[in-house]
RNA sequence: GGGGGAAUACCAGAGUGGCCAAAUGGGGCAGACUGUAAAUCUGCUGACGUACGUCUUCGGUGGUUCGAAUCCAUCUUCCCCCA
């Protein structure tokens, strides 16, 4: 029988962690996170990592396993998650993935094409060029390297343009020629469960959760990470705003309001991303029993209490 | 009691006779995104319509004018100064 993977997705604050832990306990399964920021150590509060009690209930992976200074990418995630899952499948025959990083979930479920890894130095150079000379030179370069992708890229987006050039330069081939657009077949079965709720309710929950983070010590966590603010890991809602506050650019009150606002916007982007995935089975936040029932059916296992 | 200033779309705020459904910013909404993705980027944002467009707006009312957010009168509200 092929291993089975339950994937829990949804915007921040929708209750993915709680549902994952609930299912983990019911089915006796381990949980693998799919979150680009929870992989880092020292960011427990701001990234809403599972609480110690939750971590104690179920075996968790890919949480707080990287140093703040590390680079971590969707490609790394794909490799690492697959590797971990192989071990978990051998022991349990199934596992749960929960997280809000849509690209990471895609990487895990459908795979990414074999593209060259990031080249920090090259990137730095290209970014500098974009900053000082504007987009024109890089766009010209990309047009020469890969006319096909050039026609399709978002030319206003430096990330997209620079990555494309990076891939072309490092691989010696046009980026577009390396993009298969097809998904890799995986040797496990997947069930995707999404959590939704009315917008107003979600936003209220997000605001409330930020307040809870503040009570839990988000500010001092951010203060402890201030020195590392330049790292990618800290280009993260909840920290950036506090860094600006520590720098005296904004008041604490403004920082808190911005954290809430940026969290809401982040949630919106997540919803936009997940809405494209037609394989997700959506459940309202209160329908945990229904979601668990679907998972049980998928696992072909009785619901043990 | 006297004098002065201001009222513009969700908010802030330009505009001071036609090029104004009204700059710009914020907010909101919608979206894009295959190795930075909690990142990065884009569009829309008076109403109706896919669209050419049509209709209703710039505190209220009434005027002047071919034409008013813009000028005049008056009313209302707010702010400041003198008493």
């Amino acid at each position: 029988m092929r291993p089975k993977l339950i994937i829990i997705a949804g915007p921040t604050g929708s209750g993915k962690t709680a549902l994952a832990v609930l299912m983990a306990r019911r089915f006796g399964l381990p949980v693998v996170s799919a979150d680009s920021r929870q992989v880092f150590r020292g960011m427990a509060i701001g990234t809403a990592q599972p609480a110690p009690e939750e971590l104690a209930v179920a075996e968790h992976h890919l949480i707080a396993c990287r140093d703040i200074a590390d680079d971590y990418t969707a490609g790394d995630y794909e490799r690492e998650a697959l590797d971990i899952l192989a071990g978990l499948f051998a022991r349990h025959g199934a596992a749960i993935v929960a997280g809000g990083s849509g690209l990471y979930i895609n990487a895990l479920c459908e795979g990414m094409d074999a593209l060259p890894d990031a080249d920090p130095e090259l990137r730095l150079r290209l970014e500098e060029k974009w900053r000082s000379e504007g987009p024109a030179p890089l766009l010209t370069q990309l047009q020469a390297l890969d006319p096909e992708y050039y026609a399709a890229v978002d030319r206003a987006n430096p990330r997209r343009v620079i990555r494309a050039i990076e891939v072309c330069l490092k691989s010696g081939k046009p980026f577009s020629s390396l993009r298969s657009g097809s998904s890799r077949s995986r040797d496990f079965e997947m069930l995707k469960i999404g959590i939704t709720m009315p917008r107003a309710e979600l936003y209220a929950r997000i605001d409330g959760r930020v307040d809870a983070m503040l009570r839990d010590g988000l500010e001092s966590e951010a203060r402890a990470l201030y020195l590392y603010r330049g790292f990618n890991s800290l280009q993260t809602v909840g920290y950036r705003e506090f860094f600006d506050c520590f720098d005296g650019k904004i008041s604490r009150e403004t920082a808190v309001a911005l954290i809430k606002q940026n969290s809401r916007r982040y949630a919106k982007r997540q919803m936009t991303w997940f809405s494209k995935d037609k394989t997700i089975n959506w459940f309202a936040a209160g329908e945990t029993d229904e979601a668990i029932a679907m998972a049980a059916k998928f696992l072909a296992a009785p619901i043990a209490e």
Side-chain angles (χ1 to χ4, degrees), chain A residues 19-29 31 57-58 96 304-305:
Chain A
L19 182 60
V21 168
L22 202 57
M23 284 196 187
R25 199 172 53 199
R26 293 280 177 96
F27 303 125
L29 295 176
V31 179
V57 166
I96 297 166
E305 179 47 275

Side-chain angles (χ1 to χ4, degrees), chain A residues 149-277:
Chain A
Y149 189 69
Y150 172 79
V153 242
D154 177 357
R155 291 172 210 169
N157 189 334
R159 292 281 159 88
R160 300 277 80 78
V161 173
I162 289 172
R163 158 103 275 234
I165 293 175
E166 175 185 68
V167 171
C168 295
L169 256 28
K170 284 194 77 183
S171 67
K173 294 178 197 159
F175 181 30
S176 54
S177 74
L178 300 171
R179 284 167 27 114
S180 70
S182 62
S183 55
R184 198 129 325 165
S185 73
R186 309 249 92 133
D187 62 357
F188 47 85
E189 286 176 42
M190 295 175 250
L191 173 71
K192 287 184 187 168
I193 288 175
I195 307 175
T196 49
M197 68 187 79
R199 185 70 59 93
E201 190 184 330
L202 209 222
Y203 283 6
R205 282 178 63 143
I206 287 173
D207 289 353
R209 190 165 77 157
V210 171
D211 288 330
M213 286 178 178
L214 259 14
R215 284 195 296 275
D216 290 344
L218 177 61
E219 184 173 358
S220 52
E221 185 174 79
R223 205 175 283 283
L225 296 170
Y226 180 76
L227 274 179
Y228 309 101
R229 63 192 180 286
F231 289 113
N232 182 246
S233 56
L234 289 166
Q235 306 316 306
T236 302
V237 176
Y239 300 98
R240 288 171 132 190
E241 296 84 355
F242 263 121
F243 295 154
D244 281 345
C245 172
F246 300 153
D247 285 338
K249 289 184 201 153
I250 56 176
S251 68
R252 192 193 128 96
E253 191 187 12
T254 302
V256 170
L258 280 175
I259 290 171
K260 291 178 179 177
Q261 184 180 103
N262 289 332
S263 297
R264 283 183 241 121
R265 288 172 164 173
Y266 169 49
K268 169 57 180 66
R269 269 177 277 132
Q270 289 175 300
M271 289 188 276
T272 298
W273 179 280
F274 289 131
S275 69
K276 284 192 304 186
D277 186 342

